[in-house]
Amino acid sequence: MAYAITQSCCKDASCVSVCPVDCIHPTPDERDFATTDIVYVDPSVCIDCGACADACPVAAPKPIDLLRGPETIFAELNAAYFERRPEREEPKVHTWEEMGGDLERSLSIAIVGTGPAAAYTARQLLLSTDARITMIDRLPVPGGLVRGGVAPDHVDTKKFADLFQWAYKHPRTSMVMNVEVGRDISHRDVLRHHDVVIYGVGARRDRELGVPGEDLPGVYPAPEVVGWYNGALDVEPTGVVLQGDRVVIVGNGNVALDLARLLLHDPDVLARTDMPDHAVQAFRGLDVREVVLLGRRGPSVAAFTRPELLMMPPGIDVVVARDEFTVTELEDAEPETNAAVLAALPLVDVDLTTPPGERRRLVFAFGRQVVSIEGDDRVEAVQVAPSGVAEQAVKVPCGTLIRATGHRGTPVPDLPFDEETATVPNEHGRVIDPDTGRPVPGTYVVGWIKRGATGGIGTNRTCAHETIQSIIADANAGLIPPAPRRRLTFGPFVRTRVDGVVGRRRMLAIEKAEEKAGRREGRPRVKFSSVDEMLQVSPATSLH
């Protein structure tokens, strides 16, 4: 029986490089790889060897005969992709090692961040070069988006943590945690002790709506809510208070769908995840019966991925609000697009000015914008109008509004920053000084701070590869001078400047303590709620 790729596909293409019969497409060197939601297995070619399942960090490939419930649709999706793609390309070499290059001298490299972009970069450098790596993070525990951004019920996606642990534990890696570059130490401090500094710091800001009432309590940016229900250390347990039988979410990407799913989910399911207790209790106390996803534009540009929508839990009605604009776009939907997926959903007349019904419901409402937010001590209603026609606004009662309008990068101290793109200016990962047009010596970027907040976790693998290729080319061309100080002196230097530095042993002790607490409760882990709690787990140890 053939395999099929399922919802948790991360597109890091590990499966592609190990398939002995070249039956997984699109590959990173094919045109549609950039736009596909997932990769697919050709059931007519697959030999059921299971190599893809062994290589995948998130358990996305599964035997078709083991698919159950909503996952059965993925057998059809995998087969349908190849029915639309009859012309098979000649097999190509896809292994990342053979796509790399030789580094002519050993480098000491600091990577700022420990999330997916940073961890993929460290992993590939350790696999393909003899570089020595220092990973620096502002938190005592690693993982970035994997720990603090993936929805708690996406258990398979969280398996990325296991893949990245290899890089954190590697003998050529040092971990310098609970240290923030730009606050505790400077970019220059890091570069003094390393030949190269790579920033993989993500994008933590959101896009504001710019409407009256946006500062009312009960209006939250999606990154804050996501951090709150993931136990992020920079979001207080009481920092988010969800209320109301209707929640309005501005946006219709995967983050918006995550939020909607959790708001409408069975709290007993969430209690078995690594969601922190304060969030579990908050979800238990909710009576959200309707979540409305507002999109300024039409179904043809809805930003979610098809697998995310297809895996909504049972018992939730998912509908599209009927209006002339939406109906026209759905009728003209191209096959295999998001609009085509939405066209298969019930198209219903929705009166958002009335209270929600008894059944839990998710409503896609397209071609609509928020004009203003109303309330006294907290949001009580949202004025919603057809996009560009503010005078036709209607009052939509709701107890919470969440902006899921995309992420934006934050300026990195001592580096140039482009406010329009919210990225560090770069060419193939090389940081560029916009005043001179020349590369900033020894300084590189990877991930969302490099390319903007686009692409999922696996996309960072190709992004990391490009930046590493630039580093190798620059080093071999003599453009990266040796650091004036030895990398081994960096740890002692940091300890003289920062209290509470966490090294690898202490970092691992904190994670083991969380996992031990989780086993007692039948959960993956129970997260600490503060840095102070983490620092009490074990005494300070060596950075190495």
Side-chain angles (χ1 to χ4, degrees):
M1 181 64 68
Y3 277 69
I5 307 293
T6 61
Q7 180 266 339
S8 59
C9 177
C10 63
K11 282 180 57 181
D12 88 338
S14 296
C15 56
V16 171
S17 63
V18 299
C19 178
V21 293
D22 190 45
C23 75
I24 303 177
H25 291 267
T27 64
D29 44 19
E30 293 174 335
R31 286 188 300 274
D32 52 343
F33 183 79
T35 57
T36 188
D37 293 337
I38 63 175
V39 295
Y40 302 92
V41 173
D42 187 342
S44 67
V45 178
C46 177
I47 60 174
D48 195 26
C49 68
C52 56
D54 292 338
C56 179
V58 293
K62 297 179 181 179
I64 288 175
D65 57 348
L66 296 183
L67 298 179
R68 296 290 184 272
E71 280 193 328
T72 57
I73 188 65
F74 288 98
E76 300 174 23
L77 291 179
N78 278 250
Y81 175 80
F82 291 95
E83 291 172 2
R84 302 191 309 274
R85 187 179 182 274
E87 294 297 326
R88 289 180 51 78
E89 299 181 13
E90 289 297 317
K92 295 181 174 66
V93 173
H94 305 302
T95 58
W96 298 92
E97 292 78 8
E98 292 183 352
M99 290 167 65
D102 294 325
L103 190 59
E104 295 176 1
R105 73 177 178 89
S106 181
L107 293 176
S108 61
I109 298 177
I111 302 176
V112 182
T114 59
Y120 266 125
T121 304
R123 183 178 172 84
Q124 187 168 336
L125 283 166
L126 292 165
L127 284 169
S128 60
T129 75
D130 62 351
R132 295 192 173 273
I133 309 296
T134 303
M135 301 193 77
I136 308 168
D137 200 293
R138 64 190 180 92
L139 299 178
V141 286
L145 181 65
V146 174
R147 179 182 172 97
V150 174
D153 61 333
H154 278 353
V155 178
D156 285 340
T157 305
K158 285 182 174 289
K159 291 177 181 176
F160 265 112
D162 298 331
L163 175 72
F164 297 151
Q165 283 287 338
W166 180 88
Y168 307 148
K169 296 178 180 179
H170 197 280
R172 282 190 278 124
T173 302
S174 295
M175 305 298 294
V176 179
M177 310 294 290
N178 204 31
V179 175
E180 184 169 352
V181 178
R183 182 193 66 186
D184 301 319
I185 57 176
S186 69
H187 167 72
R188 184 174 298 178
D189 291 333
V190 181
L191 198 54
R192 254 193 229 113
H193 296 84
H194 300 86
D195 304 322
V196 168
V197 183
I198 306 171
Y199 287 86
V201 293
R204 295 181 231 160
R205 290 189 296 172
D206 81 309
R207 302 173 188 272
E208 296 184 352
L209 302 177
V211 299
E214 194 167 6
D215 57 349
L216 278 171
V219 179
Y220 300 105
E224 184 175 351
V225 181
V226 171
W228 170 78
Y229 68 56
N230 271 305
L233 297 173
D234 55 356
V235 181
E236 292 291 330
T238 57
V240 173
V241 179
L242 304 174
Q243 291 183 8
D245 53 11
R246 175 186 285 131
V247 174
V248 172
I249 300 175
V250 182
N252 50 39
N254 281 351
V255 172
L257 280 180
D258 279 346
L259 290 161
R261 185 182 66 254
L262 294 175
L263 286 163
L264 296 167
H265 217 321
D266 181 353
D268 289 338
V269 173
L270 302 181
R272 297 192 292 270
T273 71
D274 66 356
M275 179 180 283
D277 291 339
H278 68 260
V280 172
Q281 293 306 314
F283 280 110
R284 285 194 187 280
L286 288 176
D287 184 27
V288 176
R289 298 194 301 280
E290 184 170 271
V291 175
V292 181
L293 303 186
L294 294 181
R296 286 182 62 92
R297 296 183 291 173
S300 61
V301 291
F304 63 85
T305 58
R306 285 187 298 157
E308 197 72 27
L309 180 59
L310 292 171
M311 292 301 290
M312 291 294 290
I316 299 172
D317 295 335
V318 183
V319 304
V320 179
R322 186 199 311 272
D323 60 65
E324 184 177 350
F325 166 71
T326 299
V327 169
T328 300
E329 283 217 6
L330 293 180
E331 289 176 345
D332 296 337
E334 295 290 332
E336 306 304 326
T337 63
N338 280 354
V341 175
L342 291 162
L345 296 175
L347 189 64
V348 301
D349 295 315
V350 176
D351 185 358
L352 296 177
T353 66
T354 62
E358 289 303 314
R359 286 184 57 83
R360 291 176 297 159
R361 183 168 76 164
L362 170 61
V363 179
F364 284 92
F366 293 101
R368 291 168 169 85
Q369 68 181 89
V370 174
V371 176
S372 65
I373 303 167
E374 299 178 353
D376 293 327
D377 299 325
R378 181 184 171 90
V379 57
E380 298 172 3
V382 179
Q383 290 286 346
V384 176
S387 296
V389 196
E391 60 272 17
Q392 295 183 15
V394 296
K395 185 176 181 178
V396 179
C398 72
T400 305
L401 182 139
I402 303 173
R403 300 187 303 257
T405 49
H407 288 64
R408 287 178 59 81
T410 302
V412 178
D414 301 323
L415 266 61
F417 190 75
D418 184 337
E419 278 291 349
E420 184 174 344
T421 63
T423 61
V424 171
N426 72 94
E427 293 178 0
H428 306 295
R430 299 177 180 91
V431 174
I432 301 297
D433 184 338
D435 294 331
T436 65
R438 303 181 64 179
V440 177
T443 308
Y444 300 80
V445 285
V446 69
W448 281 359
I449 199 65
K450 167 188 172 183
R451 66 181 189 272
T454 60
I457 292 176
T459 308
N460 291 298
R461 192 177 186 187
T462 52
C463 181
H465 175 78
E466 179 185 59
T467 295
I468 290 171
Q469 291 297 94
S470 295
I471 293 171
I472 290 173
D474 292 349
N476 292 345
L479 300 177
I480 299 178
R485 298 183 183 176
R486 298 175 62 215
R487 169 179 168 271
L488 291 177
T489 65
F490 182 64
F493 165 78
V494 174
R495 285 195 294 272
T496 65
R497 301 283 296 272
V498 184
D499 294 329
V501 177
V502 173
R504 178 161 54 204
R505 293 176 192 169
R506 196 173 193 181
M507 177 194 83
L508 295 176
I510 293 168
E511 293 204 303
K512 287 179 180 177
E514 290 185 334
E515 291 165 1
K516 183 178 179 180
R519 285 193 295 272
R520 289 196 295 265
E521 300 185 15
R523 300 162 63 184
R525 68 172 67 219
V526 175
K527 295 177 178 177
F528 290 109
S529 59
S530 70
V531 171
D532 288 342
E533 288 181 353
M534 290 181 174
L535 297 184
Q536 293 173 16
V537 168
S538 63
T541 56
S542 167
L543 287 175
H544 304 290

